[in-house]
Amino acid sequence: MMVASFARSLFVTGRQGISSLRAHYPKRHYEAFSLKHKNKVSILSVVPGGHHQSAKIIFDDSPSTTVNFKYIWLRDNCKCSRCVDQSTKQKLIDTPSLDVNIRPERLSVSSDGQLVVEWAENGQNHASVYEPDWLMRYSRCFIEDNFASPVDDEPASQRPPLTLWDRTTIWKNLPEISYAEVMESDKGLALWLEMFHRFGTALLRGVPTTKGKIIEVVKRFAYVKETSYGVTFDVVAEPDPEHLAYTGTHLHHHTDMNYREKSPGMQLLHCLKSTDTKGGSSDPGGMSFLVDGFRAANWLKENEPAAFHILSATPVRFQINVNGVKFSQTWPIICTDHDGEVTEIHYNNRTMGPLQAPTHLITPFYHSYHLLTEKIRTESMQFAFHLAPGDLLAFNNRRVLHGRTSFDETRVSRHLEGCYVDIDETMAIYDSLRNKI
């Protein structure tokens, strides 16, 4: 069994499992995980809030938490069968038709510590019941005045934290698994997707070297995303190439298709052939290498914050002509969320168009671009290896930069088959598998 030992530990349960999680993950992630295991909270009391637009709820935690919930928000989020379809969990209530100044007829707390709100609508009574733990989770955005997602409502927030890696880190915890395990068991598939989530890359070993096998692997968890390069594409040296990837040219670190409306989130490359036809003791070239773009961007944020700000605030145009058709799109090289956390990397010097920015930002941008590139190309950041026939490499195209050393086309016979996948489809299957296992 070729499953990395670190991955198995992610599916342990019970007291030992909690201890392992606490030791492995940062404290904040352990605390978030532990929220589901503590005793449920109840509501002590509820009274009308200020200006008669909200309910002031007092919870029984220690110290007691008091939160104001707007009536319109409570009415819009009623979970009864008249307001939410119980099978699909989709809303039936027509939110825009609600009176924004709505007020309830009565507020009370049930014997189970639930909030009960009674409304009078069109001459009919309507009762809404809210679980206290659900209200407590959502209270965070009102207390902290932010848009953070509640821990237990978003599948993404339940996933293990990302592992930002360099060469040493990833070689110690090589994210690899056998083809047979992934194709024959849900646990094997879950482990492989767990590796992909955490490291942004994962290897399948022992995949039959048959053209089209990559599609069978993808169908195990998602579907292939067809692009202007086809359902799949062949990375092989061609006499008259339309792309530098189809030559023996050195390809610096990059992410693919930044010139599209949304670059594909997941990329797979299956090695069908990689042989040195002439032999010899020297490296024939064609070595693949990956770099964790999130780690590089966070290094920049910590050590060169001004450069980080420039690269996350300056839109860059990426463009290319494919089969006579031009594609063009703008992205910052570093994309962040509202908390300033890195969410995507868009980096490809070969398709980056002329920078269009105010004159005073031109020099700072190039300086920042140089600093990030220098970090990315540092040897200690590289995960470099030769893809062997039967290896299938998957990586997050919006996090992990990939590239290839040059090779002599007269000496090396190299054939990779590649494809793209919508990453949200992949992660939805991963979340589903985690819930089952």
Side-chain angles (χ1 to χ4, degrees):
M1 303 286 281
M2 297 178 63
V3 181
S5 60
F6 79 90
R8 293 194 188 280
S9 67
L10 298 177
F11 289 91
V12 293
T13 56
R15 186 179 300 276
Q16 182 180 0
I18 297 295
S19 299
S20 299
L21 284 166
R22 188 172 191 174
H24 187 78
Y25 300 146
K27 181 180 179 182
R28 61 189 176 92
H29 293 286
Y30 169 73
E31 290 176 343
F33 178 89
S34 299
L35 283 175
K36 294 190 293 184
H37 299 270
K38 71 177 186 178
N39 294 329
K40 285 189 175 183
V41 68
S42 293
I43 297 174
L44 287 177
S45 63
V46 57
V47 295
H51 305 293
H52 306 290
Q53 294 293 322
S54 61
K56 180 177 290 187
I57 299 175
I58 302 174
F59 295 91
D60 71 346
D61 55 335
S62 180
S64 295
T65 300
T66 301
V67 188
N68 283 322
F69 287 87
K70 293 291 185 179
Y71 292 139
I72 180 63
W73 187 92
L74 289 171
R75 182 64 191 91
D76 184 41
N77 289 286
C78 176
K79 302 296 183 184
C80 79
S81 59
R82 287 170 54 187
C83 297
V84 173
D85 182 86
Q86 300 305 297
S87 297
T88 65
K89 304 305 179 185
Q90 295 181 14
K91 289 171 68 173
L92 298 175
I93 188 172
D94 182 36
T95 302
S97 67
L98 294 174
D99 179 1
V100 295
N101 296 312
I102 190 171
R103 293 174 58 184
E105 289 291 302
R106 186 177 293 102
L107 298 169
S108 61
V109 179
S110 72
S111 59
D112 294 328
Q114 302 164 312
L115 172 66
V116 180
V117 183
E118 297 175 47
W119 317 90
E121 298 178 345
N122 301 319
Q124 295 182 344
N125 293 329
H126 187 108
S128 301
V129 179
Y130 306 88
E131 294 296 331
D133 57 336
W134 184 86
L135 288 170
M136 175 64 88
R137 290 200 302 273
Y138 275 96
S139 70
R140 191 176 71 182
C141 63
F142 302 128
I143 295 172
E144 299 176 6
D145 194 23
N146 63 33
F147 300 97
S149 297
V151 172
D152 294 340
D153 275 28
E154 292 292 332
S157 66
Q158 300 176 31
R159 298 170 191 160
L162 304 183
T163 299
L164 304 189
W165 52 266
D166 57 12
R167 180 180 61 182
T168 301
T169 306
I170 200 163
W171 277 114
K172 285 183 177 180
N173 303 278
L174 193 62
E176 62 176 5
I177 189 172
S178 72
Y179 166 79
E181 284 183 272
V182 168
M183 300 302 286
E184 295 172 7
S185 75
D186 283 351
K187 184 174 182 180
L189 176 60
L191 289 172
W192 188 57
L193 295 179
E194 182 106 320
M195 298 172 197
F196 175 81
H197 159 67
R198 287 186 54 207
F199 289 90
T201 184
L203 270 166
L204 271 187
R205 302 286 198 184
V207 182
T209 54
T210 305
K211 191 170 170 57
K213 186 61 68 173
I214 192 172
I215 297 178
E216 291 184 26
V217 172
V218 171
K219 285 183 177 179
R220 183 77 175 89
F221 60 91
Y223 53 84
V224 173
K225 179 182 179 70
E226 185 172 3
T227 69
S228 52
Y229 298 105
V231 176
T232 64
F233 53 90
D234 295 293
V235 183
V236 61
E238 298 176 345
D240 298 306
E242 66 175 23
H243 198 288
L244 284 177
Y246 307 150
T247 70
T249 304
H250 180 99
L251 298 179
H252 279 296
H253 307 78
H254 63 283
T255 57
D256 278 10
M257 303 181 77
N258 307 286
Y259 44 81
R260 300 300 298 259
E261 179 185 19
K262 192 69 176 177
S263 58
M266 186 181 194
Q267 183 171 352
L268 297 92
L269 293 170
H270 180 203
C271 183
L272 303 177
K273 182 192 294 184
S274 181
T275 58
D276 182 356
T277 58
K278 296 182 180 179
S281 57
S282 62
D283 182 358
M287 177 177 281
S288 300
F289 49 80
L290 305 175
V291 164
D292 188 346
F294 283 10
R295 184 180 179 107
N298 279 311
W299 175 90
L300 196 71
K301 183 179 182 179
E302 293 172 5
N303 295 277
E304 300 285 350
F308 178 88
H309 174 73
I310 289 172
L311 294 184
S312 60
T314 305
V316 173
R317 182 164 297 281
F318 296 91
Q319 55 194 26
I320 198 172
N321 281 289
V322 180
N323 299 323
V325 178
K326 184 175 181 179
F327 295 91
S328 179
Q329 191 59 254
T330 57
W331 295 100
I333 289 177
I334 300 172
C335 295
T336 61
D337 61 17
H338 59 273
D339 290 324
E341 298 297 323
V342 179
T343 57
E344 296 180 8
I345 301 293
H346 295 274
Y347 182 105
N348 193 328
N349 195 67
R350 288 178 285 113
T351 60
M352 192 168 78
L355 180 64
Q356 301 174 62
T359 302
H360 69 278
L361 290 178
I362 299 297
T363 299
F365 173 87
Y366 280 103
H367 176 67
S368 304
Y369 187 44
H370 171 79
L371 288 174
L372 178 62
T373 301
E374 189 174 48
K375 182 61 178 178
I376 287 171
R377 296 181 183 177
T378 301
E379 188 175 348
S380 63
M381 293 285 290
Q382 312 290 319
F383 174 32
F385 54 94
H386 278 289
L387 277 172
D391 288 347
L392 189 152
L393 175 69
F395 53 91
N396 184 334
N397 182 54
R398 299 184 203 139
R399 171 184 172 183
V400 173
L401 294 86
H402 66 287
R404 179 197 69 206
T405 62
S406 62
F407 62 92
D408 184 347
E409 299 170 40
T410 65
R411 177 180 168 183
V412 174
S413 180
R414 188 175 187 269
H415 184 185
L416 307 181
E417 185 177 20
C419 70
Y420 300 105
V421 175
D422 284 324
I423 198 168
D424 55 347
E425 185 80 13
T426 301
M427 300 315 294
I429 295 300
Y430 166 57
D431 291 331
S432 176
L433 288 171
R434 289 188 77 247
N435 290 332
K436 291 179 182 178
I437 295 179

